[in-house]
Amino acid sequence: MTDDDELEQLRQQTDVGTRAQEATPSDESTDLEDAMVTLLAAVEAGETSKTLSVRDARLTALVRALEETGELEEVGTDLQEALDREAAPDAIDRSEVLRLAVRLGLQEAAPDLLETARDAYGRHASEQF
């Protein structure tokens, strides 16, 4: 292989257009986004439940102990702060703490997933008009 051939091969490997033509992670995001848009409509229409259940003995004991000891509101406020949300202690209940905990976990572990979710929420809202 000549130096010119090697240079051309290197150009092709680093060319933005070439990389963009390859499979991208956004292909998966589009599938997830499309599924979310469809499911958001189904939830709003009452065709799909908006309630989720979690079967976990340790988590149940923890959350119920927070309720019994009066610490649930403090944990909820801490979660709101971690998510940079305006504190609303009067609205903190078991469901809110679990919602906030899941959001914080996803934000920390899979921020791209939340960006896809925001895109789906926006698409769903724009399709309603």
Side-chain angles (χ1 to χ4, degrees):
M1 189 177 272
T2 67
D3 287 341
D4 287 340
D5 291 337
E6 289 175 10
L7 282 173
E8 182 57 32
Q9 185 178 19
L10 182 59
R11 278 190 198 105
Q12 289 177 354
Q13 290 173 347
T14 59
D15 183 17
V16 174
T18 302
R19 281 189 301 229
Q21 293 169 355
E22 294 176 9
T24 62
S26 65
D27 293 340
E28 293 177 26
S29 297
T30 301
D31 292 341
L32 177 63
E33 185 179 326
D34 290 343
M36 286 188 64
V37 170
T38 300
L39 287 165
L40 284 165
V43 168
E44 284 185 0
E47 299 165 0
T48 299
S49 174
K50 64 179 177 179
T51 302
L52 295 175
S53 298
V54 177
R55 192 171 298 203
D56 186 303
R58 292 178 179 176
L59 183 59
T60 298
L62 172 63
V63 173
R64 290 190 182 233
L66 289 170
E67 288 175 316
E68 287 182 18
T69 60
E71 297 179 48
L72 188 71
E73 186 175 305
E74 181 181 341
V75 170
T77 301
D78 291 344
L79 287 166
Q80 287 173 333
E81 289 173 9
L83 288 165
D84 292 326
R85 293 182 175 224
E86 195 171 307
D90 57 324
I92 295 176
D93 60 8
R94 182 188 314 166
S95 291
E96 180 65 6
V97 166
L98 293 172
R99 280 190 295 271
L100 293 168
V102 168
R103 285 188 180 110
L104 182 59
L106 290 173
Q107 178 178 297
E108 294 296 318
D112 292 343
L113 177 72
L114 288 183
E115 186 61 37
T116 300
R118 285 184 200 99
D119 292 345
Y121 303 147
R123 254 183 62 200
H124 172 70
S126 69
E127 290 176 5
Q128 299 305 304
F129 295 105

Coordinates of all heavy atoms in Angstrom, one line a residue, residues 8-91:
E8 N -5.5 8.2 1.9 CA -6.9 8.2 1.5 C -7.8 7.3 2.4 O -8.9 7.7 2.8 CB -7.0 7.7 0.0 CG -8.5 7.7 -0.5 CD -9.1 9.0 -0.5 OE1 -8.5 10.1 -0.6 OE2 -10.4 9.1 -0.3
Q9 N -7.2 6.2 2.8 CA -8.0 5.3 3.8 C -8.2 6.1 5.1 O -9.3 6.0 5.7 CB -7.2 4.0 4.0 CG -7.9 3.0 4.8 CD -7.1 1.8 5.0 OE1 -5.9 1.7 4.8 NE2 -7.8 0.7 5.4
L10 N -7.2 6.8 5.6 CA -7.3 7.5 6.8 C -8.3 8.6 6.7 O -9.2 8.8 7.6 CB -5.9 8.1 7.2 CG -5.9 8.9 8.5 CD1 -6.3 8.0 9.7 CD2 -4.5 9.5 8.8
R11 N -8.4 9.3 5.5 CA -9.4 10.4 5.3 C -10.8 9.8 5.4 O -11.7 10.3 5.9 CB -9.1 11.0 3.9 CG -8.1 12.1 3.9 CD -8.1 12.9 2.6 NE -6.8 13.6 2.5 CZ -5.9 13.2 1.7 NH1 -6.0 12.2 0.8 NH2 -4.7 13.9 1.6
Q12 N -11.0 8.6 4.7 CA -12.3 8.0 4.7 C -12.7 7.6 6.1 O -13.9 7.7 6.5 CB -12.3 6.8 3.8 CG -12.2 7.1 2.4 CD -12.2 5.9 1.5 OE1 -12.1 4.8 2.0 NE2 -12.2 6.1 0.2
Q13 N -11.8 7.1 7.0 CA -12.1 6.7 8.3 C -12.5 7.9 9.2 O -13.3 7.8 10.1 CB -11.0 6.0 8.9 CG -10.8 4.6 8.3 CD -9.5 3.9 8.9 OE1 -8.7 4.5 9.5 NE2 -9.4 2.6 8.6
T14 N -11.9 9.1 8.9 CA -12.1 10.2 9.8 C -13.1 11.2 9.1 O -13.5 12.2 9.8 CB -10.8 11.0 10.0 OG1 -10.2 11.4 8.8 CG2 -9.9 10.1 10.8
D15 N -13.6 10.9 8.0 CA -14.6 11.8 7.3 C -15.9 11.8 8.0 O -16.5 10.7 8.2 CB -14.7 11.4 5.8 CG -15.7 12.3 5.0 OD1 -15.9 13.4 5.5 OD2 -16.1 11.8 4.0
V16 N -16.4 12.9 8.4 CA -17.7 13.0 9.1 C -18.8 12.4 8.3 O -19.6 11.7 8.9 CB -18.0 14.5 9.5 CG1 -19.4 14.6 10.2 CG2 -16.9 15.0 10.5
G17 N -18.8 12.6 7.1 CA -19.9 12.1 6.2 C -19.9 10.6 6.2 O -21.0 10.0 6.2
T18 N -18.8 10.0 6.2 CA -18.7 8.6 6.2 C -19.2 8.0 7.5 O -20.0 7.0 7.5 CB -17.2 8.1 6.0 OG1 -16.7 8.7 4.8 CG2 -17.1 6.6 6.0
R19 N -18.8 8.6 8.6 CA -19.3 8.1 9.9 C -20.8 8.3 10.0 O -21.5 7.4 10.6 CB -18.6 8.8 11.1 CG -17.3 8.3 11.3 CD -16.8 8.9 12.6 NE -16.8 10.3 12.5 CZ -15.7 11.1 12.8 NH1 -14.7 10.6 13.3 NH2 -15.8 12.4 12.6
A20 N -21.3 9.3 9.5 CA -22.8 9.6 9.6 C -23.6 8.6 8.8 O -24.7 8.4 9.1 CB -23.1 11.0 9.1
Q21 N -23.0 8.0 7.8 CA -23.7 7.1 6.9 C -23.7 5.7 7.6 O -24.5 4.9 7.2 CB -23.0 7.0 5.6 CG -23.1 8.2 4.8 CD -22.2 8.3 3.5 OE1 -21.4 7.4 3.3 NE2 -22.4 9.3 2.7
E22 N -22.9 5.5 8.6 CA -22.9 4.2 9.3 C -24.1 4.2 10.2 O -24.7 5.2 10.5 CB -21.6 4.0 10.0 CG -20.4 3.9 9.1 CD -19.1 3.8 9.8 OE1 -19.1 3.7 11.0 OE2 -18.0 3.9 9.2
A23 N -24.3 3.0 10.8 CA -25.4 2.9 11.8 C -25.1 3.7 13.0 O -24.0 3.7 13.4 CB -25.6 1.4 12.2
T24 N -26.1 4.4 13.5 CA -25.9 5.3 14.6 C -26.8 4.9 15.7 O -27.8 4.2 15.5 CB -26.2 6.7 14.2 OG1 -27.6 6.8 13.9 CG2 -25.4 7.3 13.1
P25 N -26.4 5.2 17.0 CA -27.3 4.9 18.1 C -28.6 5.5 18.1 O -29.6 5.1 18.7 CB -26.5 5.4 19.3 CG -25.1 5.6 18.9 CD -25.2 5.8 17.4
S26 N -28.8 6.6 17.3 CA -30.1 7.3 17.3 C -31.1 6.5 16.6 O -32.3 6.7 16.8 CB -29.9 8.7 16.5 OG -29.6 8.4 15.2
D27 N -30.7 5.4 15.8 CA -31.7 4.5 15.2 C -32.5 3.8 16.3 O -33.7 3.7 16.3 CB -31.0 3.5 14.4 CG -30.4 4.1 13.1 OD1 -30.8 5.2 12.7 OD2 -29.5 3.4 12.6
E28 N -31.8 3.4 17.4 CA -32.5 2.8 18.5 C -33.4 3.8 19.2 O -34.5 3.5 19.6 CB -31.5 2.2 19.5 CG -30.7 1.1 19.0 CD -29.7 0.6 20.0 OE1 -29.8 0.8 21.2 OE2 -28.7 0.0 19.5
S29 N -32.9 5.0 19.4 CA -33.6 6.1 20.1 C -34.9 6.4 19.3 O -35.9 6.6 19.9 CB -32.8 7.4 20.2 OG -31.7 7.1 21.0
T30 N -34.9 6.3 18.0 CA -36.0 6.6 17.2 C -37.1 5.6 17.5 O -38.3 5.9 17.7 CB -35.7 6.6 15.7 OG1 -34.7 7.7 15.5 CG2 -36.9 6.9 14.9
D31 N -36.7 4.3 17.6 CA -37.7 3.2 17.9 C -38.3 3.5 19.3 O -39.5 3.3 19.5 CB -37.0 1.8 17.9 CG -36.6 1.4 16.5 OD1 -37.1 2.0 15.5 OD2 -35.7 0.5 16.4
L32 N -37.4 3.8 20.3 CA -37.9 4.1 21.6 C -38.8 5.3 21.6 O -39.9 5.3 22.2 CB -36.7 4.3 22.6 CG -37.1 4.6 24.0 CD1 -37.9 3.5 24.7 CD2 -35.8 4.9 24.8
E33 N -38.4 6.3 20.9 CA -39.2 7.5 20.9 C -40.6 7.3 20.2 O -41.6 7.7 20.8 CB -38.4 8.6 20.1 CG -39.1 9.9 20.1 CD -38.3 11.0 19.3 OE1 -37.1 11.0 19.4 OE2 -39.0 11.8 18.7
D34 N -40.6 6.5 19.1 CA -41.8 6.2 18.5 C -42.7 5.4 19.4 O -43.9 5.6 19.5 CB -41.6 5.4 17.2 CG -40.9 6.2 16.1 OD1 -41.0 7.5 16.2 OD2 -40.4 5.6 15.2
A35 N -42.2 4.4 20.1 CA -42.9 3.6 21.0 C -43.5 4.5 22.1 O -44.7 4.3 22.5 CB -42.1 2.5 21.6
M36 N -42.7 5.4 22.6 CA -43.2 6.3 23.7 C -44.3 7.2 23.2 O -45.3 7.4 24.0 CB -42.0 7.1 24.3 CG -41.1 6.3 25.1 SD -39.9 7.4 25.9 CE -41.0 8.4 27.0
V37 N -44.2 7.7 22.1 CA -45.3 8.6 21.5 C -46.6 7.8 21.4 O -47.6 8.3 21.8 CB -44.9 9.2 20.2 CG1 -46.0 9.9 19.5 CG2 -43.7 10.2 20.3
T38 N -46.5 6.6 20.9 CA -47.7 5.7 20.8 C -48.3 5.4 22.2 O -49.5 5.5 22.4 CB -47.3 4.4 20.1 OG1 -46.8 4.8 18.8 CG2 -48.5 3.5 19.9
L39 N -47.4 5.1 23.1 CA -47.9 4.7 24.5 C -48.4 5.9 25.2 O -49.4 5.8 26.0 CB -46.8 4.0 25.2 CG -46.5 2.6 24.8 CD1 -45.2 2.1 25.3 CD2 -47.7 1.7 25.2
L40 N -47.8 7.1 25.0 CA -48.4 8.3 25.7 C -49.8 8.5 25.2 O -50.7 8.9 26.0 CB -47.5 9.5 25.3 CG -46.2 9.6 26.1 CD1 -45.3 10.7 25.4 CD2 -46.4 10.0 27.5
A41 N -50.1 8.4 23.9 CA -51.5 8.5 23.4 C -52.4 7.5 24.0 O -53.5 7.8 24.4 CB -51.5 8.4 21.9
A42 N -51.9 6.2 24.1 CA -52.7 5.1 24.7 C -53.0 5.4 26.2 O -54.1 5.1 26.6 CB -52.0 3.8 24.5
V43 N -52.0 5.9 26.9 CA -52.3 6.2 28.3 C -53.3 7.3 28.5 O -54.2 7.2 29.3 CB -50.9 6.6 29.0 CG1 -51.2 7.2 30.4 CG2 -50.0 5.4 29.1
E44 N -53.1 8.4 27.7 CA -54.1 9.5 27.7 C -55.5 9.1 27.3 O -56.5 9.6 27.9 CB -53.6 10.6 26.9 CG -52.5 11.4 27.5 CD -52.1 12.6 26.7 OE1 -52.7 12.9 25.6 OE2 -51.2 13.3 27.1
A45 N -55.6 8.1 26.4 CA -56.9 7.6 26.0 C -57.5 6.6 26.9 O -58.6 6.2 26.7 CB -56.8 7.0 24.6
G46 N -56.8 6.2 28.0 CA -57.2 5.2 28.9 C -57.1 3.8 28.4 O -57.6 2.9 29.1
E47 N -56.4 3.6 27.3 CA -56.2 2.3 26.8 C -55.1 1.5 27.5 O -55.1 0.3 27.4 CB -55.9 2.3 25.3 CG -57.0 3.0 24.5 CD -56.6 3.4 23.1 OE1 -55.4 3.2 22.7 OE2 -57.4 3.9 22.4
T48 N -54.2 2.2 28.1 CA -53.1 1.7 28.9 C -53.1 2.3 30.2 O -53.2 3.5 30.3 CB -51.8 1.9 28.1 OG1 -51.8 1.3 26.9 CG2 -50.6 1.3 28.9
S49 N -52.9 1.5 31.3 CA -52.8 2.0 32.6 C -51.6 2.9 32.8 O -50.5 2.7 32.3 CB -52.8 0.9 33.6 OG -52.6 1.4 34.9
K50 N -51.8 4.0 33.6 CA -50.6 4.9 33.9 C -50.0 4.5 35.2 O -49.1 5.1 35.7 CB -51.0 6.3 33.9 CG -52.0 6.7 35.0 CD -52.3 8.2 34.9 CE -53.4 8.6 35.9 NZ -53.7 10.0 35.9
T51 N -50.4 3.4 35.8 CA -49.9 2.9 37.0 C -48.9 1.8 36.8 O -49.1 0.9 36.0 CB -51.0 2.3 37.9 OG1 -52.0 3.4 38.2 CG2 -50.5 1.8 39.3
L52 N -47.8 1.9 37.5 CA -46.7 0.8 37.5 C -46.7 0.2 38.8 O -46.9 0.8 39.8 CB -45.4 1.4 37.1 CG -45.2 2.0 35.8 CD1 -43.8 2.6 35.6 CD2 -45.3 0.9 34.7
S53 N -46.3 -1.1 38.9 CA -46.2 -1.8 40.2 C -44.7 -2.3 40.3 O -44.1 -2.7 39.3 CB -47.1 -3.0 40.3 OG -48.4 -2.5 40.2
V54 N -44.2 -2.3 41.5 CA -42.9 -2.8 41.7 C -43.0 -3.8 42.9 O -43.6 -3.5 43.9 CB -41.9 -1.7 42.1 CG1 -40.6 -2.3 42.5 CG2 -41.8 -0.7 41.0
R55 N -42.6 -5.0 42.7 CA -42.6 -6.0 43.7 C -41.2 -6.2 44.3 O -40.4 -6.8 43.7 CB -43.1 -7.3 43.1 CG -43.5 -8.4 44.2 CD -44.2 -9.5 43.5 NE -45.4 -9.0 42.9 CZ -46.5 -9.7 42.6 NH1 -46.4 -11.0 42.9 NH2 -47.5 -9.2 42.1
D56 N -41.0 -5.6 45.4 CA -39.6 -5.7 46.0 C -39.8 -5.5 47.5 O -40.1 -4.4 48.0 CB -38.8 -4.5 45.4 CG -37.3 -4.6 45.9 OD1 -37.1 -4.6 47.1 OD2 -36.4 -4.6 45.0
A57 N -39.5 -6.5 48.3 CA -39.7 -6.5 49.7 C -38.9 -5.5 50.4 O -39.4 -4.8 51.3 CB -39.5 -7.9 50.3
R58 N -37.6 -5.4 50.0 CA -36.7 -4.4 50.7 C -37.1 -3.0 50.4 O -37.1 -2.1 51.3 CB -35.3 -4.7 50.2 CG -34.7 -6.0 50.8 CD -33.4 -6.2 50.3 NE -32.9 -7.5 50.8 CZ -31.7 -8.0 50.5 NH1 -30.9 -7.4 49.6 NH2 -31.3 -9.1 51.0
L59 N -37.5 -2.7 49.2 CA -37.9 -1.4 48.8 C -39.2 -1.0 49.5 O -39.4 0.1 50.0 CB -38.1 -1.2 47.3 CG -38.4 0.2 46.8 CD1 -37.4 1.2 47.1 CD2 -38.6 0.1 45.2
T60 N -40.1 -2.0 49.6 CA -41.4 -1.8 50.3 C -41.1 -1.4 51.8 O -41.7 -0.5 52.3 CB -42.3 -3.0 50.2 OG1 -42.6 -3.2 48.8 CG2 -43.6 -2.8 51.0
A61 N -40.2 -2.2 52.4 CA -39.9 -1.9 53.8 C -39.3 -0.6 54.0 O -39.6 0.2 54.9 CB -39.0 -3.0 54.3
L62 N -38.4 -0.2 53.1 CA -37.7 1.1 53.2 C -38.7 2.2 53.1 O -38.8 3.1 53.9 CB -36.6 1.2 52.1 CG -36.0 2.6 52.0 CD1 -35.3 3.0 53.3 CD2 -35.1 2.6 50.8
V63 N -39.5 2.2 52.0 CA -40.5 3.3 51.8 C -41.5 3.4 52.9 O -41.8 4.5 53.4 CB -41.1 3.2 50.4 CG1 -42.2 4.2 50.2 CG2 -40.1 3.3 49.3
R64 N -42.0 2.3 53.3 CA -43.0 2.3 54.4 C -42.4 2.7 55.7 O -43.0 3.4 56.5 CB -43.7 0.9 54.5 CG -44.6 0.7 53.3 CD -45.5 -0.5 53.5 NE -46.2 -0.7 52.3 CZ -47.6 -0.8 52.3 NH1 -48.2 -0.7 53.4 NH2 -48.2 -0.9 51.2
A65 N -41.1 2.4 56.0 CA -40.5 2.9 57.2 C -40.2 4.4 57.1 O -40.4 5.1 58.1 CB -39.1 2.1 57.3
L66 N -40.0 4.9 55.9 CA -39.8 6.3 55.8 C -41.2 7.0 56.1 O -41.2 8.1 56.7 CB -39.4 6.7 54.4 CG -38.0 6.4 54.0 CD1 -37.7 6.6 52.5 CD2 -37.0 7.2 54.8
E67 N -42.3 6.4 55.7 CA -43.6 7.0 56.0 C -43.8 6.9 57.5 O -44.3 7.9 58.1 CB -44.7 6.2 55.3 CG -44.7 6.4 53.8 CD -45.8 5.5 53.1 OE1 -45.8 4.3 53.4 OE2 -46.5 6.1 52.2
E68 N -43.6 5.8 58.1 CA -43.9 5.6 59.5 C -43.0 6.5 60.4 O -43.5 6.9 61.5 CB -43.7 4.1 59.9 CG -44.8 3.2 59.4 CD -44.6 1.8 59.8 OE1 -43.9 1.5 60.8 OE2 -45.2 0.9 59.2
T69 N -41.8 6.8 60.0 CA -40.9 7.6 60.9 C -41.0 9.1 60.5 O -40.3 9.9 61.1 CB -39.5 7.1 60.7 OG1 -39.1 7.2 59.4 CG2 -39.3 5.7 61.2
G70 N -41.8 9.4 59.5 CA -42.0 10.8 59.1 C -40.8 11.4 58.3 O -40.7 12.6 58.1
E71 N -40.0 10.5 57.8 CA -38.8 10.9 57.0 C -39.1 10.9 55.5 O -38.2 11.4 54.7 CB -37.6 10.0 57.3 CG -37.2 10.0 58.7 CD -36.0 9.1 59.0 OE1 -35.1 9.1 58.3 OE2 -36.1 8.4 60.0
L72 N -40.2 10.5 55.1 CA -40.5 10.5 53.6 C -40.5 11.8 53.0 O -39.9 12.0 51.9 CB -41.9 9.9 53.4 CG -42.3 9.6 51.9 CD1 -41.5 8.4 51.4 CD2 -43.8 9.3 51.8
E73 N -41.0 12.9 53.7 CA -41.0 14.2 53.1 C -39.5 14.7 52.9 O -39.2 15.3 51.9 CB -41.8 15.1 54.0 CG -41.9 16.5 53.4 CD -42.8 17.4 54.3 OE1 -44.0 17.0 54.6 OE2 -42.3 18.5 54.7
E74 N -38.7 14.4 53.9 CA -37.3 14.9 53.8 C -36.6 14.2 52.6 O -35.9 14.9 51.9 CB -36.5 14.6 55.1 CG -35.1 15.0 55.1 CD -34.4 14.6 56.4 OE1 -35.0 14.4 57.4 OE2 -33.1 14.6 56.4
V75 N -36.8 12.9 52.5 CA -36.2 12.2 51.3 C -36.7 12.8 50.0 O -36.0 13.0 49.1 CB -36.5 10.7 51.4 CG1 -36.0 10.0 50.2 CG2 -35.7 10.1 52.6
G76 N -38.0 13.0 50.0 CA -38.6 13.6 48.8 C -38.0 15.0 48.4 O -37.7 15.3 47.3
T77 N -37.8 15.8 49.5 CA -37.2 17.1 49.3 C -35.8 17.0 48.8 O -35.4 17.7 47.8 CB -37.3 17.9 50.6 OG1 -38.6 18.1 51.0 CG2 -36.7 19.3 50.4
D78 N -35.0 16.0 49.3 CA -33.7 15.8 48.9 C -33.7 15.3 47.4 O -32.8 15.8 46.6 CB -33.0 14.7 49.7 CG -32.7 15.2 51.1 OD1 -32.7 16.4 51.4 OD2 -32.4 14.3 52.0
L79 N -34.6 14.5 47.0 CA -34.7 14.1 45.6 C -35.0 15.2 44.7 O -34.5 15.4 43.6 CB -35.7 12.9 45.5 CG -35.3 11.6 46.0 CD1 -36.5 10.7 46.1 CD2 -34.2 10.9 45.1
Q80 N -36.0 16.1 45.1 CA -36.3 17.3 44.3 C -35.1 18.1 44.1 O -34.8 18.6 43.0 CB -37.4 18.1 45.0 CG -38.8 17.4 45.0 CD -39.8 18.2 45.8 OE1 -39.5 18.8 46.8 NE2 -41.1 18.0 45.4
E81 N -34.3 18.4 45.2 CA -33.1 19.2 45.1 C -32.1 18.6 44.1 O -31.5 19.2 43.3 CB -32.5 19.4 46.4 CG -33.3 20.4 47.3 CD -32.8 20.5 48.7 OE1 -31.7 19.9 49.0 OE2 -33.5 21.1 49.6
A82 N -31.9 17.2 44.2 CA -31.0 16.6 43.4 C -31.4 16.7 41.9 O -30.5 16.7 41.0 CB -30.9 15.1 43.8
L83 N -32.6 16.8 41.6 CA -33.1 16.9 40.3 C -33.3 18.4 39.9 O -33.9 18.7 38.8 CB -34.5 16.2 40.1 CG -34.4 14.7 40.1 CD1 -35.7 14.0 40.4 CD2 -33.8 14.2 38.8
D84 N -32.9 19.3 40.7 CA -33.1 20.8 40.5 C -34.5 21.1 40.2 O -34.9 21.9 39.3 CB -32.2 21.2 39.3 CG -30.7 21.1 39.6 OD1 -30.4 21.4 40.8 OD2 -30.0 20.8 38.7
R85 N -35.4 20.6 41.0 CA -36.8 20.9 40.9 C -37.2 21.8 42.1 O -36.7 21.7 43.1 CB -37.7 19.6 41.0 CG -37.5 18.8 39.7 CD -38.3 17.5 39.8 NE -38.2 16.8 38.5 CZ -39.2 16.3 37.8 NH1 -40.4 16.4 38.3 NH2 -39.0 15.7 36.7
E86 N -38.2 22.6 41.8 CA -38.7 23.4 42.9 C -39.4 22.6 44.0 O -40.2 21.7 43.7 CB -39.8 24.4 42.3 CG -40.1 25.5 43.2 CD -40.9 26.6 42.5 OE1 -40.5 27.0 41.4 OE2 -42.0 26.9 43.1
A87 N -39.0 22.8 45.2 CA -39.5 22.0 46.3 C -40.9 22.3 46.5 O -41.4 23.4 46.5 CB -38.7 22.4 47.6
A88 N -41.7 21.2 46.7 CA -43.1 21.3 47.0 C -43.4 20.2 48.0 O -44.0 19.2 47.7 CB -43.9 21.1 45.7
P89 N -43.0 20.4 49.3 CA -43.1 19.4 50.3 C -44.5 18.9 50.6 O -44.7 17.8 50.9 CB -42.6 20.1 51.6 CG -41.9 21.3 51.2 CD -42.4 21.6 49.8
D90 N -45.5 19.8 50.4 CA -46.9 19.3 50.6 C -47.4 18.3 49.6 O -48.4 17.6 49.8 CB -47.8 20.5 50.6 CG -47.8 21.4 49.4 OD1 -46.7 21.5 48.8 OD2 -48.8 21.9 48.9
A91 N -46.7 18.2 48.5 CA -47.1 17.2 47.4 C -46.2 15.9 47.5 O -46.3 15.1 46.6 CB -46.9 17.9 46.1

